[in-house]
Structures are given as structure tokens and as C-alpha cells.
Amino acid sequence: PGKTYLTALLQGKCPRCREGNIFTHPVSRIAKFNVMNNHCPHCGVMLQPEPGFYQGAMYVGYGITIGVLLLISALLYALGNPSEWVYIGVTIGVMILLAPLNYRYSRILYLYMFGGIKYNPHLSQPK
């Protein structure tokens, strides 16, 4: 049996075969965290369905940013409601640290939701 939908999404795997990597390098390689495969290295499906496809991922990234901002604000408020400068500093610091993950997961989520690529369980078998 292949990977579950959620496991494949969290691991950044192809939505069609759930085996091939969407990105060429791990997120820890800061200089190349944003480099994507044009085609899935396992099943060959095109990972950019049309030119400019990932422009819509900006909206997903914005939603992730708002969610993280609300979470940080709630945590800081629960820990004693510090000054607004602490809110601003912590939020900016966390968002800078999470920028590579936000970039990746906004694209992965957008591809899974709007890419029109359907899962094929027969492709998840080893070649």
C-alpha cells in the first residue's frame, strides 16, 4: 500500500504517485529550498500544470501566515500579554524562520488542491 494523502502532502511527494519528491533539495539547503522538479522523478507527471500556476499559491501562503500570526499572538497573550514590540519582534522573527516552509507548503497545498492531478495507486509500486 502507498502513502496516505496526508503523509504524502507533509513529505512533499507527488500527488499522483505519492512517491517522487516535488522539490529537488531538502528545506535545510537554504540556497536551493525553492527549486522544484519540473516532472515527478518517479511517475513523470508534470508538476507545473500551466505557466504561472503557482501564482495562486501566494494566497495559500498568506493564509498560513495569518494562521501563524494568530497562533503567536494567542501564545504571547496567554504568557502574560507583553508589549507590542515583543509581539512585533517575535512575529517577524518566527515568520523569517518559517519562510522556507511557508513557501514550500503553500505550493504543495496549492498543487494538491488545484493541480487537477489525481492519485493513481498503481504508480506507487516500486519500479
Side-chain angles (χ1 to χ4, degrees):
K3 292 182 172 85
T4 65
Y5 179 88
L6 184 60
T7 303
L9 189 143
L10 290 174
Q11 292 178 351
K13 301 295 183 181
C14 167
R16 184 173 174 213
C17 66
R18 298 182 182 168
E19 294 295 328
N21 290 326
I22 294 174
F23 288 88
T24 59
H25 300 285
V27 72
S28 58
R29 288 224 21 219
I30 297 299
K32 296 191 177 211
F33 78 90
N34 61 337
V35 180
M36 296 181 68
N37 285 310
N38 291 323
H39 294 85
C40 173
H42 186 266
C43 71
V45 71
M46 192 165 178
L47 295 174
Q48 184 165 346
E50 60 188 54
F53 174 75
Y54 289 107
Q55 287 180 340
M58 291 185 301
Y59 297 105
V60 177
Y62 178 72
I64 292 170
T65 299
I66 296 301
V68 171
L69 175 70
L70 290 173
L71 180 64
I72 291 169
S73 297
L75 287 173
L76 288 174
Y77 182 78
L79 293 173
N81 196 15
S83 75
E84 63 272 2
W85 291 108
V86 173
Y87 279 98
I88 292 169
V90 170
T91 301
I92 289 172
V94 169
M95 291 316 302
I96 288 172
L97 290 173
L98 293 180
L101 287 173
N102 189 349
Y103 177 87
R104 280 187 169 218
Y105 282 106
S106 63
R107 284 182 168 233
I108 292 167
L109 282 167
Y110 196 74
L111 179 63
Y112 269 70
M113 291 186 302
F114 302 111
I117 302 171
K118 302 290 184 220
Y119 174 58
N120 184 343
H122 301 294
L123 295 173
S124 62
Q125 309 302 323
K127 287 184 175 182

Short mmCIF file of all heavy atoms in Angstrom, two decimals, residues 57-124:
data_model
loop_
_atom_site.label_atom_id
_atom_site.label_comp_id
_atom_site.label_asym_id
_atom_site.label_seq_id
_atom_site.Cartn_x
_atom_site.Cartn_y
_atom_site.Cartn_z
N ALA A 57 -0.58 30.23 -5.32
CA ALA A 57 -0.08 29.72 -4.04
C ALA A 57 0.22 30.86 -3.07
O ALA A 57 0.31 30.63 -1.86
CB ALA A 57 1.17 28.88 -4.27
N MET A 58 0.33 32.08 -3.60
CA MET A 58 0.55 33.23 -2.71
C MET A 58 -0.61 33.39 -1.74
O MET A 58 -0.41 33.76 -0.58
CB MET A 58 0.70 34.52 -3.53
CG MET A 58 1.96 34.60 -4.33
SD MET A 58 2.15 36.19 -5.16
CE MET A 58 0.68 36.28 -6.16
N TYR A 59 -1.83 33.09 -2.18
CA TYR A 59 -2.99 33.21 -1.31
C TYR A 59 -2.95 32.15 -0.20
O TYR A 59 -3.33 32.42 0.93
CB TYR A 59 -4.28 33.11 -2.12
CG TYR A 59 -4.41 34.24 -3.10
CD1 TYR A 59 -4.19 34.03 -4.46
CD2 TYR A 59 -4.71 35.52 -2.67
CE1 TYR A 59 -4.30 35.08 -5.36
CE2 TYR A 59 -4.83 36.58 -3.56
CZ TYR A 59 -4.61 36.34 -4.90
OH TYR A 59 -4.70 37.38 -5.78
N VAL A 60 -2.49 30.96 -0.54
CA VAL A 60 -2.34 29.91 0.47
C VAL A 60 -1.26 30.32 1.47
O VAL A 60 -1.44 30.17 2.68
CB VAL A 60 -1.99 28.55 -0.19
CG1 VAL A 60 -1.76 27.47 0.85
CG2 VAL A 60 -3.08 28.14 -1.17
N GLY A 61 -0.15 30.85 0.98
CA GLY A 61 0.91 31.33 1.86
C GLY A 61 0.44 32.45 2.77
O GLY A 61 0.82 32.50 3.95
N TYR A 62 -0.41 33.32 2.26
CA TYR A 62 -0.98 34.39 3.07
C TYR A 62 -1.84 33.80 4.19
O TYR A 62 -1.78 34.22 5.34
CB TYR A 62 -1.81 35.33 2.19
CG TYR A 62 -2.48 36.44 2.94
CD1 TYR A 62 -1.75 37.50 3.47
CD2 TYR A 62 -3.86 36.42 3.15
CE1 TYR A 62 -2.37 38.52 4.16
CE2 TYR A 62 -4.49 37.44 3.84
CZ TYR A 62 -3.74 38.48 4.35
OH TYR A 62 -4.35 39.49 5.04
N GLY A 63 -2.63 32.79 3.85
CA GLY A 63 -3.46 32.13 4.86
C GLY A 63 -2.62 31.46 5.94
O GLY A 63 -2.94 31.54 7.13
N ILE A 64 -1.53 30.82 5.54
CA ILE A 64 -0.62 30.20 6.51
C ILE A 64 -0.02 31.28 7.41
O ILE A 64 0.06 31.11 8.63
CB ILE A 64 0.49 29.41 5.79
CG1 ILE A 64 -0.11 28.18 5.08
CG2 ILE A 64 1.59 28.99 6.76
CD1 ILE A 64 0.86 27.46 4.15
N THR A 65 0.39 32.39 6.81
CA THR A 65 0.96 33.50 7.58
C THR A 65 -0.03 34.03 8.61
O THR A 65 0.33 34.25 9.77
CB THR A 65 1.40 34.64 6.64
OG1 THR A 65 2.39 34.13 5.75
CG2 THR A 65 1.97 35.81 7.41
N ILE A 66 -1.27 34.23 8.22
CA ILE A 66 -2.30 34.72 9.15
C ILE A 66 -2.52 33.72 10.28
O ILE A 66 -2.63 34.10 11.45
CB ILE A 66 -3.61 35.03 8.41
CG1 ILE A 66 -3.40 36.17 7.41
CG2 ILE A 66 -4.73 35.36 9.39
CD1 ILE A 66 -2.93 37.47 8.03
N GLY A 67 -2.57 32.43 9.95
CA GLY A 67 -2.74 31.40 10.97
C GLY A 67 -1.60 31.40 11.99
O GLY A 67 -1.84 31.33 13.20
N VAL A 68 -0.36 31.51 11.50
CA VAL A 68 0.80 31.55 12.39
C VAL A 68 0.77 32.83 13.23
O VAL A 68 1.05 32.80 14.43
CB VAL A 68 2.12 31.44 11.58
CG1 VAL A 68 3.33 31.71 12.46
CG2 VAL A 68 2.23 30.06 10.95
N LEU A 69 0.42 33.93 12.63
CA LEU A 69 0.31 35.20 13.35
C LEU A 69 -0.71 35.11 14.49
O LEU A 69 -0.44 35.54 15.62
CB LEU A 69 -0.07 36.34 12.39
CG LEU A 69 -0.34 37.70 13.02
CD1 LEU A 69 0.96 38.31 13.53
CD2 LEU A 69 -0.98 38.61 12.01
N LEU A 70 -1.86 34.53 14.22
CA LEU A 70 -2.88 34.37 15.25
C LEU A 70 -2.41 33.44 16.37
O LEU A 70 -2.64 33.70 17.55
CB LEU A 70 -4.18 33.85 14.64
CG LEU A 70 -4.94 34.83 13.75
CD1 LEU A 70 -6.11 34.14 13.06
CD2 LEU A 70 -5.42 36.02 14.55
N LEU A 71 -1.73 32.36 16.00
CA LEU A 71 -1.20 31.42 16.99
C LEU A 71 -0.16 32.09 17.88
O LEU A 71 -0.21 31.96 19.11
CB LEU A 71 -0.61 30.20 16.29
CG LEU A 71 -0.03 29.12 17.20
CD1 LEU A 71 -1.12 28.50 18.07
CD2 LEU A 71 0.66 28.06 16.38
N ILE A 72 0.77 32.82 17.28
CA ILE A 72 1.80 33.53 18.05
C ILE A 72 1.16 34.55 18.98
O ILE A 72 1.52 34.65 20.16
CB ILE A 72 2.81 34.22 17.10
CG1 ILE A 72 3.66 33.18 16.39
CG2 ILE A 72 3.71 35.19 17.86
CD1 ILE A 72 4.49 33.76 15.26
N SER A 73 0.20 35.30 18.47
CA SER A 73 -0.47 36.31 19.28
C SER A 73 -1.19 35.68 20.47
O SER A 73 -1.10 36.18 21.59
CB SER A 73 -1.48 37.10 18.44
OG SER A 73 -0.81 37.79 17.41
N ALA A 74 -1.88 34.57 20.24
CA ALA A 74 -2.59 33.90 21.33
C ALA A 74 -1.61 33.36 22.37
O ALA A 74 -1.85 33.48 23.58
CB ALA A 74 -3.45 32.77 20.77
N LEU A 75 -0.50 32.78 21.92
CA LEU A 75 0.50 32.26 22.86
C LEU A 75 1.13 33.37 23.68
O LEU A 75 1.28 33.24 24.90
CB LEU A 75 1.58 31.48 22.11
CG LEU A 75 1.19 30.11 21.57
CD1 LEU A 75 2.30 29.54 20.69
CD2 LEU A 75 0.87 29.17 22.71
N LEU A 76 1.50 34.47 23.03
CA LEU A 76 2.09 35.58 23.76
C LEU A 76 1.10 36.19 24.75
O LEU A 76 1.47 36.55 25.88
CB LEU A 76 2.62 36.65 22.80
CG LEU A 76 3.88 36.27 22.02
CD1 LEU A 76 4.21 37.34 20.99
CD2 LEU A 76 5.05 36.05 22.96
N TYR A 77 -0.14 36.30 24.35
CA TYR A 77 -1.17 36.83 25.24
C TYR A 77 -1.33 35.93 26.47
O TYR A 77 -1.43 36.40 27.60
CB TYR A 77 -2.50 36.99 24.50
CG TYR A 77 -3.58 37.58 25.35
CD1 TYR A 77 -3.63 38.95 25.60
CD2 TYR A 77 -4.56 36.77 25.91
CE1 TYR A 77 -4.62 39.49 26.39
CE2 TYR A 77 -5.56 37.31 26.71
CZ TYR A 77 -5.58 38.67 26.94
OH TYR A 77 -6.56 39.21 27.73
N ALA A 78 -1.35 34.61 26.24
CA ALA A 78 -1.50 33.64 27.33
C ALA A 78 -0.29 33.64 28.26
O ALA A 78 -0.42 33.33 29.45
CB ALA A 78 -1.73 32.25 26.77
N LEU A 79 0.87 34.00 27.74
CA LEU A 79 2.09 34.02 28.55
C LEU A 79 2.31 35.34 29.29
O LEU A 79 3.37 35.56 29.86
CB LEU A 79 3.30 33.70 27.68
CG LEU A 79 3.36 32.29 27.11
CD1 LEU A 79 4.51 32.14 26.12
CD2 LEU A 79 3.47 31.27 28.23
N GLY A 80 1.33 36.24 29.26
CA GLY A 80 1.47 37.45 30.04
C GLY A 80 1.24 38.75 29.31
O GLY A 80 1.48 39.81 29.87
N ASN A 81 0.80 38.70 28.08
CA ASN A 81 0.48 39.91 27.30
C ASN A 81 1.61 40.95 27.35
O ASN A 81 1.47 42.00 27.94
CB ASN A 81 -0.84 40.51 27.78
CG ASN A 81 -1.39 41.51 26.78
OD1 ASN A 81 -0.97 41.56 25.64
ND2 ASN A 81 -2.34 42.31 27.22
N PRO A 82 2.74 40.66 26.69
CA PRO A 82 3.86 41.61 26.69
C PRO A 82 3.56 42.84 25.84
O PRO A 82 2.49 42.96 25.24
CB PRO A 82 5.00 40.78 26.08
CG PRO A 82 4.32 39.76 25.25
CD PRO A 82 3.02 39.46 25.92
N SER A 83 4.54 43.72 25.73
CA SER A 83 4.35 44.96 24.95
C SER A 83 4.21 44.65 23.47
O SER A 83 4.55 43.56 23.00
CB SER A 83 5.55 45.89 25.17
OG SER A 83 6.67 45.43 24.44
N GLU A 84 3.73 45.64 22.74
CA GLU A 84 3.54 45.45 21.29
C GLU A 84 4.85 45.20 20.57
O GLU A 84 4.88 44.54 19.53
CB GLU A 84 2.78 46.63 20.67
CG GLU A 84 3.48 47.95 20.76
CD GLU A 84 3.17 48.72 22.05
OE1 GLU A 84 2.45 48.24 22.91
OE2 GLU A 84 3.71 49.83 22.17
N TRP A 85 5.96 45.70 21.11
CA TRP A 85 7.26 45.47 20.46
C TRP A 85 7.68 44.00 20.55
O TRP A 85 8.33 43.49 19.65
CB TRP A 85 8.33 46.40 21.04
CG TRP A 85 8.06 47.81 20.65
CD1 TRP A 85 7.61 48.82 21.44
CD2 TRP A 85 8.17 48.35 19.33
NE1 TRP A 85 7.43 49.97 20.70
CE2 TRP A 85 7.77 49.71 19.38
CE3 TRP A 85 8.56 47.83 18.09
CZ2 TRP A 85 7.75 50.54 18.28
CZ3 TRP A 85 8.53 48.67 16.99
CH2 TRP A 85 8.14 49.99 17.08
N VAL A 86 7.29 43.35 21.63
CA VAL A 86 7.56 41.92 21.73
C VAL A 86 6.73 41.16 20.70
O VAL A 86 7.23 40.27 20.01
CB VAL A 86 7.28 41.40 23.17
CG1 VAL A 86 7.41 39.89 23.24
CG2 VAL A 86 8.22 42.06 24.17
N TYR A 87 5.47 41.52 20.58
CA TYR A 87 4.61 40.91 19.55
C TYR A 87 5.23 41.08 18.16
O TYR A 87 5.34 40.13 17.39
CB TYR A 87 3.22 41.54 19.54
CG TYR A 87 2.27 41.03 20.59
CD1 TYR A 87 2.07 41.72 21.77
CD2 TYR A 87 1.54 39.87 20.38
CE1 TYR A 87 1.18 41.26 22.73
CE2 TYR A 87 0.64 39.40 21.32
CZ TYR A 87 0.47 40.10 22.50
OH TYR A 87 -0.41 39.65 23.43
N ILE A 88 5.63 42.29 17.85
CA ILE A 88 6.19 42.59 16.53
C ILE A 88 7.49 41.82 16.31
O ILE A 88 7.69 41.19 15.28
CB ILE A 88 6.40 44.12 16.36
CG1 ILE A 88 5.04 44.82 16.31
CG2 ILE A 88 7.21 44.42 15.11
CD1 ILE A 88 5.13 46.33 16.42
N GLY A 89 8.38 41.88 17.28
CA GLY A 89 9.68 41.21 17.15
C GLY A 89 9.57 39.71 17.02
O GLY A 89 10.20 39.09 16.15
N VAL A 90 8.76 39.10 17.88
CA VAL A 90 8.60 37.64 17.83
C VAL A 90 7.94 37.23 16.51
O VAL A 90 8.37 36.27 15.87
CB VAL A 90 7.79 37.15 19.05
CG1 VAL A 90 7.41 35.68 18.89
CG2 VAL A 90 8.59 37.35 20.33
N THR A 91 6.91 37.96 16.10
CA THR A 91 6.22 37.62 14.86
C THR A 91 7.16 37.72 13.65
O THR A 91 7.20 36.80 12.82
CB THR A 91 5.01 38.55 14.65
OG1 THR A 91 4.13 38.41 15.76
CG2 THR A 91 4.28 38.23 13.37
N ILE A 92 7.91 38.79 13.56
CA ILE A 92 8.84 38.95 12.43
C ILE A 92 9.90 37.85 12.46
O ILE A 92 10.20 37.23 11.43
CB ILE A 92 9.49 40.36 12.45
CG1 ILE A 92 8.45 41.40 12.08
CG2 ILE A 92 10.68 40.42 11.50
CD1 ILE A 92 8.91 42.84 12.24
N GLY A 93 10.45 37.57 13.64
CA GLY A 93 11.47 36.52 13.75
C GLY A 93 10.95 35.15 13.35
O GLY A 93 11.59 34.43 12.57
N VAL A 94 9.77 34.79 13.84
CA VAL A 94 9.19 33.48 13.51
C VAL A 94 8.87 33.40 12.03
O VAL A 94 9.13 32.37 11.38
CB VAL A 94 7.95 33.20 14.38
CG1 VAL A 94 7.18 31.98 13.88
CG2 VAL A 94 8.36 33.00 15.84
N MET A 95 8.32 34.45 11.44
CA MET A 95 7.95 34.41 10.03
C MET A 95 9.19 34.32 9.13
O MET A 95 9.15 33.65 8.09
CB MET A 95 7.09 35.61 9.64
CG MET A 95 5.70 35.58 10.26
SD MET A 95 4.83 33.98 10.23
CE MET A 95 4.77 33.63 8.51
N ILE A 96 10.29 34.96 9.53
CA ILE A 96 11.53 34.83 8.76
C ILE A 96 12.05 33.40 8.83
O ILE A 96 12.45 32.81 7.83
CB ILE A 96 12.58 35.85 9.24
CG1 ILE A 96 12.18 37.25 8.80
CG2 ILE A 96 13.97 35.50 8.71
CD1 ILE A 96 13.02 38.37 9.38
N LEU A 97 12.01 32.81 10.03
CA LEU A 97 12.47 31.43 10.19
C LEU A 97 11.59 30.44 9.43
O LEU A 97 12.07 29.44 8.92
CB LEU A 97 12.53 31.05 11.67
CG LEU A 97 13.62 31.72 12.49
CD1 LEU A 97 13.45 31.38 13.97
CD2 LEU A 97 15.00 31.29 12.00
N LEU A 98 10.29 30.71 9.37
CA LEU A 98 9.36 29.79 8.71
C LEU A 98 9.16 30.07 7.22
O LEU A 98 8.41 29.35 6.56
CB LEU A 98 8.00 29.83 9.42
CG LEU A 98 7.96 29.27 10.84
CD1 LEU A 98 6.55 29.38 11.40
CD2 LEU A 98 8.45 27.84 10.88
N ALA A 99 9.80 31.10 6.68
CA ALA A 99 9.60 31.48 5.28
C ALA A 99 9.84 30.31 4.30
O ALA A 99 9.02 30.09 3.41
CB ALA A 99 10.44 32.69 4.91
N PRO A 100 10.94 29.55 4.44
CA PRO A 100 11.12 28.43 3.51
C PRO A 100 10.00 27.38 3.61
O PRO A 100 9.53 26.87 2.59
CB PRO A 100 12.47 27.83 3.91
CG PRO A 100 13.19 28.94 4.60
CD PRO A 100 12.12 29.73 5.29
N LEU A 101 9.56 27.07 4.82
CA LEU A 101 8.47 26.10 4.98
C LEU A 101 7.16 26.66 4.45
O LEU A 101 6.38 25.94 3.81
CB LEU A 101 8.31 25.72 6.45
CG LEU A 101 9.40 24.82 7.02
CD1 LEU A 101 9.22 24.65 8.52
CD2 LEU A 101 9.40 23.48 6.32
N ASN A 102 6.89 27.94 4.69
CA ASN A 102 5.69 28.57 4.18
C ASN A 102 5.68 28.52 2.65
O ASN A 102 4.66 28.19 2.03
CB ASN A 102 5.60 30.02 4.68
CG ASN A 102 4.28 30.68 4.37
OD1 ASN A 102 3.47 30.18 3.60
ND2 ASN A 102 4.06 31.84 4.96
N TYR A 103 6.80 28.84 2.04
CA TYR A 103 6.92 28.81 0.57
C TYR A 103 6.60 27.41 0.05
O TYR A 103 5.80 27.25 -0.87
CB TYR A 103 8.34 29.23 0.18
CG TYR A 103 8.60 29.16 -1.30
CD1 TYR A 103 8.30 30.24 -2.12
CD2 TYR A 103 9.15 28.03 -1.89
CE1 TYR A 103 8.55 30.19 -3.48
CE2 TYR A 103 9.40 27.97 -3.25
CZ TYR A 103 9.09 29.05 -4.04
OH TYR A 103 9.32 29.00 -5.39
N ARG A 104 7.26 26.42 0.63
CA ARG A 104 7.08 25.05 0.15
C ARG A 104 5.66 24.55 0.34
O ARG A 104 5.05 24.02 -0.59
CB ARG A 104 8.03 24.10 0.87
CG ARG A 104 9.40 24.13 0.32
CD ARG A 104 10.24 23.06 0.96
NE ARG A 104 11.47 22.95 0.21
CZ ARG A 104 12.09 21.81 -0.04
NH1 ARG A 104 11.63 20.70 0.43
NH2 ARG A 104 13.19 21.80 -0.75
N TYR A 105 5.14 24.69 1.56
CA TYR A 105 3.83 24.12 1.83
C TYR A 105 2.71 24.88 1.14
O TYR A 105 1.68 24.29 0.82
CB TYR A 105 3.59 23.97 3.33
CG TYR A 105 4.32 22.75 3.84
CD1 TYR A 105 5.46 22.86 4.60
CD2 TYR A 105 3.88 21.47 3.50
CE1 TYR A 105 6.15 21.74 5.03
CE2 TYR A 105 4.56 20.35 3.91
CZ TYR A 105 5.70 20.48 4.68
OH TYR A 105 6.37 19.37 5.08
N SER A 106 2.89 26.16 0.86
CA SER A 106 1.87 26.86 0.09
C SER A 106 1.82 26.30 -1.33
O SER A 106 0.73 26.10 -1.88
CB SER A 106 2.10 28.36 0.09
OG SER A 106 3.31 28.70 -0.54
N ARG A 107 2.96 25.99 -1.90
CA ARG A 107 2.99 25.40 -3.25
C ARG A 107 2.48 23.96 -3.24
O ARG A 107 1.74 23.56 -4.14
CB ARG A 107 4.40 25.46 -3.83
CG ARG A 107 4.75 26.85 -4.30
CD ARG A 107 6.12 26.92 -4.92
NE ARG A 107 6.26 28.20 -5.58
CZ ARG A 107 6.62 28.35 -6.85
NH1 ARG A 107 6.92 27.31 -7.58
NH2 ARG A 107 6.69 29.55 -7.38
N ILE A 108 2.89 23.19 -2.25
CA ILE A 108 2.44 21.79 -2.17
C ILE A 108 0.92 21.74 -2.00
O ILE A 108 0.23 21.00 -2.71
CB ILE A 108 3.16 21.06 -1.03
CG1 ILE A 108 4.65 20.89 -1.35
CG2 ILE A 108 2.52 19.70 -0.76
CD1 ILE A 108 5.50 20.47 -0.16
N LEU A 109 0.38 22.52 -1.06
CA LEU A 109 -1.06 22.55 -0.84
C LEU A 109 -1.81 23.01 -2.10
O LEU A 109 -2.83 22.45 -2.46
CB LEU A 109 -1.41 23.47 0.33
CG LEU A 109 -1.18 22.91 1.72
CD1 LEU A 109 -1.25 24.02 2.76
CD2 LEU A 109 -2.20 21.83 2.03
N TYR A 110 -1.27 24.02 -2.75
CA TYR A 110 -1.92 24.54 -3.96
C TYR A 110 -1.93 23.48 -5.06
O TYR A 110 -2.94 23.30 -5.74
CB TYR A 110 -1.22 25.82 -4.43
CG TYR A 110 -2.03 26.60 -5.41
CD1 TYR A 110 -3.14 27.33 -5.00
CD2 TYR A 110 -1.70 26.62 -6.76
CE1 TYR A 110 -3.90 28.05 -5.90
CE2 TYR A 110 -2.45 27.35 -7.67
CZ TYR A 110 -3.55 28.05 -7.23
OH TYR A 110 -4.31 28.77 -8.13
N LEU A 111 -0.83 22.77 -5.22
CA LEU A 111 -0.76 21.70 -6.22
C LEU A 111 -1.76 20.59 -5.90
O LEU A 111 -2.47 20.11 -6.77
CB LEU A 111 0.66 21.13 -6.32
CG LEU A 111 0.87 20.00 -7.31
CD1 LEU A 111 0.61 20.48 -8.75
CD2 LEU A 111 2.29 19.44 -7.21
N TYR A 112 -1.84 20.20 -4.64
CA TYR A 112 -2.76 19.14 -4.24
C TYR A 112 -4.22 19.58 -4.42
O TYR A 112 -5.05 18.78 -4.82
CB TYR A 112 -2.52 18.74 -2.79
CG TYR A 112 -1.53 17.61 -2.62
CD1 TYR A 112 -0.18 17.79 -2.87
CD2 TYR A 112 -1.95 16.36 -2.19
CE1 TYR A 112 0.72 16.76 -2.72
CE2 TYR A 112 -1.05 15.32 -2.03
CZ TYR A 112 0.28 15.52 -2.30
OH TYR A 112 1.17 14.49 -2.15
N MET A 113 -4.52 20.84 -4.12
CA MET A 113 -5.91 21.30 -4.18
C MET A 113 -6.36 21.66 -5.59
O MET A 113 -7.49 21.36 -5.97
CB MET A 113 -6.10 22.52 -3.26
CG MET A 113 -6.01 22.21 -1.80
SD MET A 113 -6.43 23.61 -0.72
CE MET A 113 -5.26 24.86 -1.23
N PHE A 114 -5.49 22.31 -6.36
CA PHE A 114 -5.92 22.87 -7.64
C PHE A 114 -5.16 22.37 -8.86
O PHE A 114 -5.40 22.83 -9.96
CB PHE A 114 -5.82 24.41 -7.59
CG PHE A 114 -6.62 25.02 -6.49
CD1 PHE A 114 -5.99 25.62 -5.41
CD2 PHE A 114 -8.01 24.99 -6.52
CE1 PHE A 114 -6.73 26.19 -4.39
CE2 PHE A 114 -8.75 25.56 -5.50
CZ PHE A 114 -8.11 26.15 -4.43
N GLY A 115 -4.24 21.44 -8.68
CA GLY A 115 -3.42 20.96 -9.79
C GLY A 115 -4.13 20.02 -10.74
O GLY A 115 -3.66 19.76 -11.84
N GLY A 116 -5.25 19.47 -10.31
CA GLY A 116 -6.00 18.54 -11.15
C GLY A 116 -5.29 17.21 -11.34
O GLY A 116 -5.59 16.47 -12.28
N ILE A 117 -4.38 16.87 -10.45
CA ILE A 117 -3.63 15.61 -10.54
C ILE A 117 -4.28 14.62 -9.59
O ILE A 117 -4.34 14.86 -8.39
CB ILE A 117 -2.14 15.82 -10.20
CG1 ILE A 117 -1.52 16.84 -11.13
CG2 ILE A 117 -1.40 14.49 -10.26
CD1 ILE A 117 -0.11 17.26 -10.75
N LYS A 118 -4.77 13.52 -10.12
CA LYS A 118 -5.45 12.51 -9.32
C LYS A 118 -4.47 11.40 -8.91
O LYS A 118 -3.58 11.02 -9.68
CB LYS A 118 -6.60 11.88 -10.10
CG LYS A 118 -7.63 12.87 -10.57
CD LYS A 118 -8.42 13.44 -9.42
CE LYS A 118 -9.50 14.37 -9.92
NZ LYS A 118 -9.68 15.53 -9.13
N TYR A 119 -4.68 10.89 -7.72
CA TYR A 119 -3.84 9.80 -7.21
C TYR A 119 -4.09 8.52 -7.99
O TYR A 119 -5.22 8.15 -8.28
CB TYR A 119 -4.14 9.58 -5.72
CG TYR A 119 -3.44 8.39 -5.12
CD1 TYR A 119 -2.05 8.29 -5.14
CD2 TYR A 119 -4.15 7.37 -4.53
CE1 TYR A 119 -1.40 7.21 -4.58
CE2 TYR A 119 -3.52 6.28 -3.96
CZ TYR A 119 -2.14 6.20 -3.99
OH TYR A 119 -1.50 5.13 -3.44
N ASN A 120 -3.00 7.84 -8.36
CA ASN A 120 -3.07 6.55 -9.04
C ASN A 120 -2.30 5.54 -8.19
O ASN A 120 -1.07 5.53 -8.21
CB ASN A 120 -2.48 6.66 -10.44
CG ASN A 120 -2.62 5.38 -11.23
OD1 ASN A 120 -2.86 4.30 -10.69
ND2 ASN A 120 -2.46 5.49 -12.54
N PRO A 121 -3.00 4.68 -7.43
CA PRO A 121 -2.31 3.76 -6.52
C PRO A 121 -1.40 2.76 -7.24
O PRO A 121 -0.46 2.25 -6.64
CB PRO A 121 -3.45 3.04 -5.79
CG PRO A 121 -4.67 3.25 -6.60
CD PRO A 121 -4.45 4.53 -7.37
N HIS A 122 -1.63 2.50 -8.51
CA HIS A 122 -0.79 1.55 -9.25
C HIS A 122 0.60 2.12 -9.51
O HIS A 122 1.55 1.37 -9.74
CB HIS A 122 -1.46 1.16 -10.57
CG HIS A 122 -2.80 0.54 -10.37
ND1 HIS A 122 -2.97 -0.68 -9.73
CD2 HIS A 122 -4.04 0.98 -10.67
CE1 HIS A 122 -4.26 -0.97 -9.68
NE2 HIS A 122 -4.93 0.02 -10.24
N LEU A 123 0.74 3.45 -9.46
CA LEU A 123 2.04 4.08 -9.70
C LEU A 123 2.90 4.11 -8.45
O LEU A 123 4.10 4.39 -8.53
CB LEU A 123 1.85 5.51 -10.22
CG LEU A 123 1.20 5.63 -11.58
CD1 LEU A 123 0.91 7.07 -11.90
CD2 LEU A 123 2.08 5.01 -12.63
N SER A 124 2.32 3.84 -7.28
CA SER A 124 3.09 3.92 -6.04
C SER A 124 3.89 2.64 -5.77
O SER A 124 4.62 2.56 -4.82
CB SER A 124 2.18 4.22 -4.85
OG SER A 124 1.24 3.18 -4.67
#
